[in-house]
Amino acid sequence: MTENDAAMTRMMDAMTVAPSGNIDADFAAMMIPYHQGAIAMAEAELRYGHNELLRRIAQEIVVEQQQEIAAMRLGLNQALPASMPSPTRPGAMVMSPSAMPMKVTITP
C-alpha cells in the first residue's frame, strides 16, 4: 500500500497542469502521469502480489499504458523514452518508468 499511495500522490501532483492554450498538449501533459501512475501500481502488484490472474492483469496494464504513453508522445512529435523491462517477480532489480519523475513537459 505504501508504494500505491506514493504512486497516487506523484500522479495527482504531476497531473496538475497550467493550461498552455494547446488542448492536445494539455491533454497529454495530464494523461501521461495518469498512465504512469497505473504502471507504478501494476508494478507493485507484480512485485508483491500472489494471485496469478491479478498479476497477469497487472502485466497487461504495464504494457498497455506504456503503449498509450508512446502514442501520445508520438502524436505530439516527441521522442520516445528508452524502453525498460518491468519487474515481474519479488526481488527484481529494474529501474522502471514509475521510479522516474512523473512531471511531463509538453512542447506545443
Side-chain angles (χ1 to χ4, degrees):
M1 285 306 294
T2 301
E3 286 185 30
N4 282 341
D5 288 343
M8 287 293 292
T9 298
R10 282 192 315 270
M11 178 183 73
M12 295 306 290
D13 289 346
M15 287 176 63
T16 304
V17 175
S20 70
N22 179 330
I23 188 66
D24 297 324
D26 293 347
F27 171 74
M30 290 183 287
M31 289 304 294
I32 290 172
Y34 176 79
H35 289 307
Q36 288 172 324
I39 291 168
M41 288 182 269
E43 287 174 340
E45 171 63 21
L46 291 170
R47 276 193 291 279
Y48 306 113
H50 301 289
N51 182 302
E52 287 306 315
L53 176 60
L54 295 178
R55 289 174 48 78
R56 173 70 179 205
I57 292 168
Q59 185 62 49
E60 290 173 7
I61 288 169
V62 170
V63 171
E64 291 167 3
Q65 298 304 302
Q66 287 173 339
Q67 291 172 345
E68 292 284 333
I69 291 169
M72 283 185 263
R73 291 181 190 265
L74 286 172
L76 294 172
N77 296 317
Q78 293 182 340
L80 298 178
S83 178
M84 292 185 218
S86 176
T88 58
R89 66 190 182 291
M93 298 299 288
V94 176
M95 179 69 167
S96 67
S98 64
M100 298 177 192
M102 287 191 185
K103 200 64 175 177
V104 176
T105 304
I106 304 293
T107 307

